[in-house]
Amino acid sequence: MAKPVSIFGDAAQGSLFFEGLRIPPAPLGGVVVAIEHPSIAGRIRVTRSDLFQRDGVTPRIVFKRMRPTRVRNKDNQRLVGDLGYTLQQVIDYINDEANRKANELDFQKDGVAVGSGNTINFIGSGVSAVSVSGDVATVHIAGGSAGNPVTSGILTSSNNTLRLTLQDASTVDVDVTSLNSVSPVSLANSTSYFFLNSGNQLANNQHDKDNGVVFYGTPIRRGEELVFTVPGEDLHVGVWNGGNGVTGVGNVNNKSNWSTKWYFDNSESDWKSSTGTYRKTGVELNRDVNSDGGTYSIRYGYNSEKLELHEHSTAYSWLISSANTGVG
């Protein structure tokens, strides 16, 4: 397999380097030229005009038919694999590096190189004035009520982007994912579970009880379900009655903070019928019910108007237990 090669120009040294291969540096200023191979689609031919082939006329070939996937930048990033460059973008990159000039500046956007140059052109109504004196450039940015202030803002349909509309009707998108997350959690991968104390959203239904109880943020109506699988830990599920601010495993598990609760003992794979401090409360379950894992749901009964615990398998489900009273 052909070795990768980092191709980059260094204005201070006046050379284009081919790091990773035994190819000597070439002068900058357009001496090296990259094109798509004239007869092999998807390959790159690189030549240098300051050296010649045996005929003394034809520029020497540096790379005859190089795959674009070999090319990396100075930071060893793969142009295709890491940055998503197309064939033409790789060719343009090589030519841009080969055409560097002395004292050029590199420009990046979000850590990705976008080019280099000697001149910066400030555009936009937010820049009120630019002056240069004694090799120092001064850029004045309009602030306060001047310039192009924000006139309105909305959440986009994905709810993780705040779109601000400016006075000139242009828009600016602000990522607000972390305002509605824990780690943060992207809303595209989030759930309806929230910490009661903080309102932070969870990526799944497992959580740290030291942060308090988690609630299911969608009301359960008749025929609708909270569907879940038994986790690899004990499970407490039902109607919380402990209010906000309760934290710690003991307090979260204590049945005195619940009006209705089923308790699954992971160590015995049982839904427990016992009534200890951290066990069931407000539910009808006169014997332990063993589980092999699987899928369960909390349903709101059509006729009883009580919460019900069901076990699911394929297209079927079985009622395991009901709450003692209806919840309205």
Side-chain angles (χ1 to χ4, degrees):
M1 176 178 291
K3 292 182 179 180
V5 54
S6 294
I7 301 177
F8 58 90
D10 189 319
Q13 299 186 59
S15 298
L16 180 72
F17 292 93
F18 305 91
E19 199 168 80
L21 300 177
R22 294 182 178 179
I23 298 177
L28 296 178
V31 170
V32 171
V33 177
I35 63 170
E36 183 175 2
H37 196 284
S39 59
I40 305 177
R43 298 296 184 94
I44 300 173
R45 173 177 288 176
V46 179
T47 59
R48 53 182 296 177
S49 59
D50 64 329
L51 298 175
F52 304 96
Q53 298 185 39
R54 291 183 177 181
D55 60 10
V57 177
T58 306
R60 180 176 296 179
I61 296 176
V62 182
F63 295 99
K64 291 183 178 180
R65 44 184 179 274
M66 179 174 61
R67 295 181 185 273
T69 52
R70 294 179 59 191
V71 183
R72 305 189 180 203
N73 61 18
K74 187 175 183 179
D75 296 326
N76 205 34
Q77 295 172 305
R78 299 173 299 173
L79 298 188
V80 175
D82 296 331
L83 304 181
Y85 279 27
T86 64
L87 170 67
Q88 188 57 52
Q89 286 175 316
V90 174
I91 293 172
D92 292 343
Y93 167 84
I94 297 173
N95 289 328
D96 287 343
E97 292 294 305
N99 279 281
R100 280 180 175 273
K101 301 176 182 65
N103 302 317
E104 278 192 340
L105 295 174
D106 291 328
F107 298 102
Q108 296 183 351
K109 183 179 185 299
D110 300 327
V112 178
V114 296
S116 60
N118 298 101
T119 303
I120 303 174
N121 183 22
F122 295 96
I123 298 175
S125 58
V127 180
S128 60
V130 179
S131 61
V132 179
S133 177
D135 294 330
V136 176
T138 302
V139 182
H140 296 269
I141 307 296
S145 59
N148 191 23
V150 174
T151 58
S152 64
I154 60 169
L155 285 174
T156 64
S157 58
S158 62
N159 286 334
N160 60 356
T161 300
L162 175 62
R163 179 159 294 163
L164 303 176
T165 300
L166 308 183
Q167 192 174 58
D168 65 357
S170 63
T171 59
V172 176
D173 287 347
V174 180
D175 185 0
V176 294
T177 302
S178 60
L179 298 181
N180 199 19
S181 60
V182 179
S183 297
V185 175
S186 170
L187 290 184
N189 301 316
S190 60
T191 67
S192 294
Y193 294 96
F194 294 80
F195 277 110
L196 177 61
N197 292 337
S198 65
N200 287 336
Q201 196 169 18
L202 276 73
N204 53 60
N205 61 2
Q206 296 192 36
H207 68 283
D208 181 359
K209 293 179 184 177
D210 286 337
N211 291 320
V213 71
V214 161
F215 72 93
Y216 187 68
T218 302
I220 299 179
R221 298 177 175 84
R222 287 193 294 181
E224 295 182 356
E225 304 173 336
L226 186 163
V227 181
F228 57 92
T229 56
V230 175
E233 303 289 343
D234 291 354
L235 174 67
H236 303 257
V237 58
V239 179
W240 178 252
N241 196 36
N244 199 347
V246 177
T247 60
V249 174
N251 293 326
V252 171
N253 293 348
N254 195 314
K255 70 179 185 181
S256 65
N257 287 318
W258 300 73
S259 60
T260 303
K261 185 179 75 160
W262 288 276
Y263 168 64
F264 179 79
D265 186 345
N266 179 66
S267 64
E268 298 184 21
S269 297
D270 282 340
W271 292 97
K272 289 297 183 182
S273 61
S274 53
T275 57
T277 302
Y278 306 113
R279 302 300 177 92
K280 72 169 190 178
T281 187
V283 301
E284 300 168 352
L285 187 65
N286 56 17
R287 63 180 179 82
D288 293 350
V289 176
N290 184 261
S291 167
D292 294 327
T295 302
Y296 294 85
S297 70
I298 301 296
R299 284 183 179 175
Y300 183 61
Y302 272 99
N303 299 319
S304 67
E305 295 190 346
K306 298 178 180 179
L307 291 183
E308 300 172 347
L309 175 65
H310 288 254
E311 181 177 2
H312 295 257
S313 178
T314 62
Y316 303 96
S317 64
W318 294 266
L319 175 63
I320 296 177
S321 173
S322 296
N324 287 335
T325 59
V327 294

